[in-house]
Amino acid sequence: MRLGHLVVPAIALALVACERGAPTPQRAAVTAPSTQETTPPRVPEVFDHVLLISVDGLRPDCLETPLLEQFPNFARILSGPHTLEARTDPDYTVTLPNHLSMLTGRPVLGPSGHGWIANTDPPAEAQGGTLHAQKRSYVQSVFDVAHDHGVDTTIAVTKTKFVLLTQSYSDASGAPDGVGKDDGRQKIDRALYTTRASDLGGIVADTLRRSPAPSFAFVHIGAPDFAGHATGWDLAAGSAYLAAVKDADGALGTILDAIESSPALRGNTAIVLTADHGGGVPFKSHTDKTAPINFRIPFAVWLGGGAAADLRALNPARAWPDRETQLDTAAKPQPVRNGDAGNLCLRLLGLPPVDGSLYGAVDQLAVIRDEPPKTRPSKG
Ligand SMILES: [Zn+2]
């Protein structure tokens, strides 16, 4: 099933691929100082494929021992820099507002906020169902920056409310492409929908295998949230919630296996994984923004393995609040938030941050030690 309208003829994809030429891991060296060409980095400076994976309602304590032993694919992700002390938006611990923070780099409220507080299916596109109509000005997203720079873009989601994305960034509502070649106003090349985590992993893996480079995908795994609302954010052995986290782990495994078994993807693909919120206050929901088990979330960056580093050590200038503390959007510095995810994905693609974004735009999150400057050559 597809969400919204999606039209990118194969010929258009072929043209993009052809124009960009064959991917090479040395691409960034074109613009890097010559001294940096002599010592290859442990991981690519710029990745050809980047996935932003959000696991809806994932409590970070699922990723601590001993529970982590049940989730070997989350453990694979945690081989990269990560923290279990990231934060949601300070004002909302619900799904759609937090995902919009990830994808726009904005908080929910305030002058720099994206302004979307509803958490239900949006009205139709022509009836105010776009971020721009709500904000009364265009709200740029990670999809704009990626698409306008010639990056292939996908969303693969498990909730219908994400139709807000295809509506906001459609051929009618998306902004004109002001960067190089005109890639059109529709910023999302394909939108894929299923409710089952077990299907989602295969769908994402298939799409990734067929994606021209460079590509970006936003992947939403709803299973833990569905189980949490049904029977509670319950960490007891045998709970439906833990079974759903296991389903999410299976989807991750399918995606990671696809990457590691593909010469074109292996070493060339990065994943940023986070959550929109935790859950458990109240027990079958996550609406209390003051509850630590709702606002504490994981944030992990997988760079192909072999890049293990402590996200906190890499980012000493960020705020690192204790487990009971949330910080508001005025705090300086900011903690690592799920709202950092979009701009980090763009940076891993060698692209600039989202216009109007707050999180990770100036105060960029470091994920590789002694990072060289990252730039993706102009598409011309
Ligand atoms: Zn929920």
Side-chain angles (χ1 to χ4, degrees):
M1 174 178 164
R2 291 184 155 201
L3 263 188
H5 88 163
L6 311 160
V7 187
V8 171
I11 186 148
L13 295 177
L15 286 172
V16 170
C18 180
E19 183 200 28
R20 302 198 60 83
T24 68
Q26 290 79 35
R27 186 186 296 109
V30 173
T31 52
S34 60
T35 52
Q36 291 177 347
E37 292 177 357
T38 54
T39 311
R42 289 181 304 161
V43 294
E45 297 167 1
V46 174
F47 289 81
D48 274 332
H49 305 279
V50 176
L51 295 92
L52 196 178
I53 301 181
S54 173
V55 184
D56 200 318
L58 178 63
R59 287 179 56 162
D61 33 9
C62 290
L63 305 189
E64 292 176 320
T65 50
L67 283 175
L68 182 62
E69 292 162 16
Q70 300 176 38
F71 310 123
N73 298 304
F74 279 105
R76 289 163 79 181
I77 297 281
L78 296 189
S79 68
H82 66 275
T83 178
L84 302 183
E85 283 299 338
R87 293 289 178 266
T88 63
D89 181 82
D91 299 306
Y92 290 88
T93 49
V94 292
T95 294
L96 201 48
N98 272 271
H99 282 97
L100 296 170
S101 283
M102 295 178 205
L103 296 166
T104 66
R106 295 171 178 261
V108 180
L109 300 180
S112 62
H114 57 69
W116 193 274
I117 62 172
N119 191 33
T120 52
D121 286 5
E125 182 172 345
Q127 269 77 55
T130 71
L131 273 169
H132 330 303
Q134 175 72 27
K135 183 71 176 173
R136 299 181 192 279
S137 63
Y138 193 79
V139 181
Q140 205 188 53
S141 71
V142 63
F143 301 111
D144 293 75
V145 180
H147 175 82
D148 291 357
H149 284 84
V151 175
D152 183 72
T153 55
T154 295
I155 68 171
V157 298
T158 52
K159 286 183 174 175
T160 54
K161 62 185 77 171
F162 288 108
V163 75
L164 178 63
L165 297 175
T166 47
Q167 292 182 177
S168 296
Y169 303 106
S170 72
D171 198 38
S173 297
D177 175 0
V179 183
K181 183 176 76 69
D182 184 4
D183 295 301
R185 296 176 65 164
Q186 181 186 313
K187 309 302 183 190
I188 299 173
D189 289 327
R190 68 192 66 74
L192 308 166
Y193 170 76
T194 175
T195 55
R196 293 159 54 94
S198 54
D199 294 340
L200 186 71
I203 288 169
V204 173
D206 286 347
T207 303
L208 195 53
R209 283 192 204 95
R210 290 201 300 261
S211 288
S215 79
F216 168 75
F218 164 61
V219 179
H220 169 262
I221 306 177
D225 188 72
F226 299 146
H229 286 294
T231 58
W233 265 257
D234 183 358
L235 301 190
S239 74
Y241 177 76
L242 288 181
V245 176
K246 184 73 179 172
D247 289 344
D249 187 75
L252 280 181
T254 302
I255 295 166
L256 287 167
D257 289 347
I259 294 167
E260 292 185 336
S261 65
S262 162
L265 299 174
R266 188 175 55 236
N268 220 355
T269 304
I271 295 173
V272 176
L273 182 143
T274 187
D276 51 350
H277 51 73
V281 179
F283 185 53
K284 292 185 180 179
S285 195
H286 44 77
T287 44
D288 183 348
K289 69 176 184 181
T290 68
I293 59 172
N294 293 346
F295 67 61
R296 292 178 65 232
I297 48 169
F299 191 104
V301 188
W302 184 81
L303 302 168
D310 180 0
L311 197 63
R312 181 170 184 161
L314 286 168
N315 295 277
R318 285 298 184 103
W320 292 94
D322 64 49
R323 295 166 69 104
E324 307 302 316
T325 304
Q326 170 68 293
L327 296 173
D328 65 26
T329 54
K332 286 188 170 48
Q334 283 285 302
V336 176
R337 293 195 196 273
N338 51 16
D340 278 289
N343 276 339
L344 176 57
C345 288
L346 290 175
R347 187 139 160 271
L348 291 169
L349 285 163
L351 299 178
V354 176
D355 280 351
S357 62
L358 187 71
Y359 298 136
V362 177
D363 187 13
Q364 293 189 332
L365 206 55
V367 296
I368 302 171
R369 210 180 304 278
D370 302 323
E371 281 184 271
K374 293 179 174 180
T375 51
R376 181 169 285 277
S378 164
K379 66 177 180 175

